[in-house]
Amino acid sequence: MTQELSYPKTSLEAPSPQRLLAALDFKEPDRVPHLEFWITSKTVYECVLGRKLDYEVIDAKEGQKSIAPEDEIEFAFRIGMDAVPCNFSWRPGNIFEKASDGTEHYVGGRIKTWEDLETLEPPPPLEEQLALLERYLEAGKKYGVGIFPNFTSFFDSAQLAMGYEYFLYQIYDNLALIEKLMDILLEHQVKVVEAVFKHYGDRLLFMMVNDDIAYNSGLAVRPELFRKLFCERFRTLTEPARKQGKKIVMHTDGKMDQVLPILYELGVGAIHPCEPESNDIYELKKKWYGKVALIGNIHTPLLAYGSKEEIEEDVKEHLTRLAPGGGYVLSSSTSIFEGIPPENFLHMVRCVHSFGVYEKLRGGA
């Protein structure tokens, strides 16, 4: 990365938490925000930071520690990203295996019986999680980057703990086991959410919930059962944030047609990542503008394999069609993983800074 791209030269290139909040609130700030929830490419980090990292970057989406908070905040500052997540994860019962390249990948779940519930791995100590959040907040204050907590939830965490196929069988054979596992997961995460917002709520932008509740075909289970399993538990999980007037942002993969009506009822104000494989984001805007803000939809295969011209064309279309009136935050459709060329990622960032300025989008100078 060249020096001119390493640090913001103008306010339009600098991070602004208020810019992000305004866009999520269906207002037009100075420019469209760009936000990535998961960046796992050490190559991209090192390119932007201009130095080597002396540790491995791990996929925080799987609940593990990723890049150091101070490095992540500096990275966000250098590319003008308004905020970064602090992850509060507990996903017990997962089985991982190493691939030939040395990376670990989820291969299944080990929770099959009532007795297995007694052997769940303990959650991370709350004190350690809050200490990590404090590091994020201190670094964020230094660089002007906002912080939001991102919590794993109970639905997909239960699926992962049991294994997807076994989970679906148990819906019919032993629903009580599924609900008990969900309640164990929920009980712990509620304690974490309560502590986070009790001690740090006034310094946090919003609450994010990370729970894949849908596939490309729609909801993971039939709608009436999903409501039974999900709705009241979700209200309980998010209550501490809602009491403080914080917006609830939801991450879930999959098709949104069945998902968004339920999430809107539950008070969710923004959805990520609106995958293009299963969603027409322009139709979603027509249906949900003013209700649920949209985050994402820039196809990661395009970032990985497309030309700069193709990336620029796609980003321009998203900005032109989705930005007016606020309610859109540009982001990749999954994550910035190893294999996405840093120059492609940075070209996307440049395009947001160049073409996402609202004065230009409105036809101004």
Side-chain angles (χ1 to χ4, degrees), residues 57-124:
V57 175
I58 301 171
D59 189 352
K61 191 176 180 183
E62 301 300 336
Q64 304 178 67
K65 290 182 180 179
S66 185
I67 186 171
E70 296 78 10
D71 291 336
E72 187 171 10
I73 294 291
E74 183 183 346
F75 171 88
F77 171 73
R78 287 174 180 248
I79 64 169
M81 196 166 75
D82 306 310
V84 300
C86 178
N87 297 298
F88 294 87
S89 301
W90 186 38
R91 281 190 166 140
N94 291 201
I95 301 172
F96 292 90
E97 290 183 359
K98 277 193 175 181
S100 58
D101 63 358
T103 59
E104 287 194 338
H105 299 272
Y106 170 85
V107 295
R110 65 172 187 82
I111 306 304
K112 310 297 184 183
T113 68
W114 288 93
E115 289 73 25
D116 291 336
L117 296 179
E118 304 299 321
T119 65
L120 288 172
E121 298 90 329

Side-chain angles (χ1 to χ4, degrees), residues 211-220 251-260 271-280 284 333:
D211 201 341
D212 285 336
I213 59 177
Y215 308 135
N216 284 339
S217 58
L219 280 171
H251 164 85
T252 178
D253 294 342
K255 191 172 180 62
M256 294 293 103
D257 290 1
Q258 294 175 311
V259 170
L260 281 178
I271 189 76
H272 168 270
C274 305
E275 296 169 297
E277 297 93 333
S278 48
N279 298 283
D280 181 337
L284 289 179
S333 64

Side-chain angles (χ1 to χ4, degrees), residues 314-330:
D314 192 55
V315 170
K316 278 184 175 180
E317 182 176 12
H318 278 75
L319 295 174
T320 302
R321 297 179 65 180
L322 297 171
Y328 178 63
V329 176
L330 190 134

Side-chain angles (χ1 to χ4, degrees), residues 5 12 18 24-25 49 56 99 102 124 127 137 173 181 184 187 213 250 260 282 287 291 293-294 313 346:
L5 290 173
L12 288 170
Q18 292 307 311
L24 293 177
D25 203 29
L49 292 172
E56 293 304 314
E127 296 78 10
L137 289 167
D173 294 342
L181 175 56
I184 292 171
E187 181 180 5
I213 59 177
M250 180 77 177
L260 281 178
Y282 305 112
K287 294 179 182 177
K291 298 177 180 178
L294 306 175
E313 182 181 355
L346 292 171

Side-chain angles (χ1 to χ4, degrees), residues 11-21 23 29-36 73 76-77 79-84 140 143-148 205 329 352-353:
S11 61
L12 288 170
E13 296 173 347
S16 168
Q18 292 307 311
R19 171 193 298 134
L20 176 59
L21 291 177
D30 54 350
R31 69 161 168 84
V32 176
H34 163 241
L35 182 62
E36 298 293 341
I73 294 291
F77 171 73
I79 64 169
M81 196 166 75
D82 306 310
V84 300
Y143 282 101
V145 175
I147 308 298
F148 59 93
L205 296 184
V329 176
V352 179
H353 293 178

